[in-house]
């Protein structure tokens, strides 16, 4: 039986691969991509079966360029998963903290470890493209004076040791990942949806639409506005909805269709609680 091919931004050992393992299990083929757009291209050209894409972080906020990719490619969102982002200081076996002069990682990961670097001002911090790639660089080049900020998966994969564990400043740090597929499949357990739409510029137009959901007991778990490219004062709204009763959700959607333009259901899937 062929393994599922999962496209991720970054290389093996990254948080994206960890999220893929969490959703699909570890018996998968990871397709490494240099960018989020490249993951979409891999799915479009059937070089991957699914994409795992970060969409928001509890500290850094929304990844706005990825909302543009959702609009551009129109893949189906078939699921979501959350990771508690735990960041460790990794180095070659036998290297001690006092040997370290340089630390490399993804810029967002470095920013999330500000307190640690304040306590170790002698460390020179530099940005890399990916947490796992920085770990791999240390292993490949046998760098004894450099550490990486990455996860346990990268440490295990590239043979590094944890010098200092959980160096992130905020321990309640979560990233939400979307699972994308070429087309939607019916999910009888679906109780969450991601939709997008535009409204006119009349007073209260958005409020009226949001009230349709409130009137039908639909919880709005997220609202994200994005400018429409090339059009002044026009915005597209991305909304995540959660429901208890399918009939109420469908009723709210029917009403919303009448009041919006460029309406799209990006995906209907099962809500995944943070773990």
């Amino acid at each position: 039986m062929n393994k599922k091919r999962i496209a991720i931004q970054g290389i093996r050992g990254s948080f994206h691969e960890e999220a893929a393992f969490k959703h699909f299990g570890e018996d998968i083929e990871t397709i490494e991509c240099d960018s989020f757009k490249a993951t979409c291209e891999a799915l479009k050209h059937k070089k991957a079966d699914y994409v795992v894409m970060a969409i928001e972080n509890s500290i850094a906020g929304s990844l706005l360029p990825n909302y543009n990719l959702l609009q551009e490619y129109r893949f189906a969102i078939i699921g979501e998963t959350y990771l508690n982002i735990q960041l460790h200081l990794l180095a070659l076996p036998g290297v001690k903290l006092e040997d370290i002069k340089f630390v490399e990682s993804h810029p967002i990961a470095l920013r999330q470890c500000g307190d640690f670097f304040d306590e170790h001002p002698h460390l020179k911090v530099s940005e890399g493209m990916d947490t796992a790639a920085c770990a791999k660089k240390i292993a490949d080049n046998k760098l004894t004076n450099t550490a990486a900020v990455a996860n346990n998966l990268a440490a295990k994969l590239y043979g590094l040791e944890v010098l200092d564990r959980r160096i992130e400043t905020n321990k309640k740090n979560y990233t939400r990942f979307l699972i994308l597929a070429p087309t939607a499949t019916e999910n009888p357990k679906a109780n969450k949806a991601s939709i997008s739409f535009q409204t006119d510029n009349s007073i209260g137009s958005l409020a009226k639409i949001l009230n349709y959901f409130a009137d039908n007991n639909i919880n709005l778990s997220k609202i994200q506005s994005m400018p429409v490219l090339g059009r002044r004062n026009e915005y597209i709204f991305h909304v995540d909805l959660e429901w208890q009763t399918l009939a109420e959700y469908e009723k709210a959607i029917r009403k919303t269709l009448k009041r919006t333009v460029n309406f799209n259901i990006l995906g209907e899937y099962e809500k995944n609680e943070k773990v």
Side-chain angles (χ1 to χ4, degrees):
M1 183 177 178
N2 292 333
K3 293 183 178 181
K4 293 175 181 176
R5 301 170 300 165
I6 316 300
I8 64 166
Q9 185 274 323
I11 69 170
R12 293 202 59 206
S14 66
F15 284 107
H16 274 84
E17 186 178 51
E18 189 176 343
F21 285 164
K22 185 175 179 183
H23 187 83
F24 292 102
E26 296 191 16
D27 190 25
I28 62 173
E29 179 184 350
T30 300
I31 309 298
E32 300 174 336
C33 300
D34 292 336
S35 66
F36 287 113
K37 185 175 181 65
T39 66
C40 294
E41 285 293 305
L43 188 59
K44 177 181 176 180
H45 295 290
K46 300 182 179 179
K47 295 178 181 178
D49 302 309
Y50 302 94
V51 167
V52 173
M53 177 184 285
I55 198 66
E56 62 184 281
N57 176 265
S58 57
I59 296 174
S62 297
L63 280 73
L64 298 181
N66 289 354
Y67 280 97
N68 287 329
L69 291 175
L70 293 178
Q71 287 297 318
E72 180 180 351
Y73 286 91
R74 298 295 172 91
F75 295 135
I77 302 170
I78 63 163
E80 64 178 355
T81 192
Y82 286 85
L83 276 187
N84 179 209
I85 303 301
Q86 300 182 3
L87 298 168
H88 312 304
L89 192 70
L90 310 182
L92 289 172
V95 172
K96 295 180 170 53
L97 184 56
E98 53 265 31
D99 301 325
I100 300 299
K101 296 179 181 178
F102 307 98
V103 178
E104 296 185 7
S105 192
H106 188 279
I108 291 179
L110 293 172
R111 286 202 298 272
Q112 292 173 355
C113 301
D115 287 357
F116 176 83
F117 293 119
D118 287 344
E119 294 167 7
H120 300 83
H122 68 284
L123 295 174
K124 185 175 180 180
V125 176
S126 59
E127 297 180 354
M129 290 296 293
D130 181 71
T131 55
C134 293
K136 185 176 186 295
K137 177 183 173 182
I138 291 171
D140 289 347
N141 296 287
K142 305 292 188 248
L143 302 177
T144 57
N145 63 353
T146 305
V149 176
N151 58 8
N152 273 326
L153 183 61
K156 180 180 177 181
L157 189 61
Y158 300 115
L160 302 182
E161 290 183 348
V162 177
L163 288 184
D164 208 334
R165 193 171 295 277
R166 300 299 303 273
I167 66 170
E168 71 274 10
T169 300
N170 190 324
K171 308 305 179 188
K172 295 181 179 179
N173 179 8
Y174 289 90
T175 295
R176 178 185 176 219
F177 298 82
L178 299 178
I179 314 300
L180 308 180
T183 57
T185 54
E186 188 173 346
N187 184 351
K189 294 183 178 180
N191 57 2
K192 186 172 182 177
S194 295
I195 66 173
S196 66
F197 56 83
Q198 290 176 253
T199 67
D200 59 37
N201 285 325
S202 62
I203 294 173
S205 59
L206 179 60
K208 290 174 184 176
I209 292 163
L210 299 184
N211 279 332
Y212 293 152
F213 297 112
D215 292 343
N216 286 280
N217 302 308
I218 307 299
N219 180 46
L220 306 185
S221 58
K222 181 163 188 181
I223 303 174
Q224 180 70 57
S225 66
M226 294 287 295
V228 177
L229 295 177
R231 297 192 179 183
R232 188 157 92 43
N233 295 332
E234 289 191 29
Y235 295 87
I236 189 161
F237 297 97
H238 287 258
V239 179
D240 291 338
L241 316 167
E242 301 169 5
W243 66 86
Q244 297 289 333
T245 304
L246 181 61
E248 289 180 320
Y249 161 71
E250 291 176 340
K251 182 178 179 182
I253 291 296
R254 286 195 297 271
K255 287 187 175 182
T256 302
L257 273 167
K258 297 176 182 178
R259 285 274 186 172
T260 60
V261 295
N262 293 332
F263 178 91
N264 283 287
I265 296 177
L266 302 174
E268 297 172 339
Y269 48 96
E270 188 174 3
K271 178 183 175 182
N272 191 317
E273 298 288 352
K274 295 179 183 178
V275 177

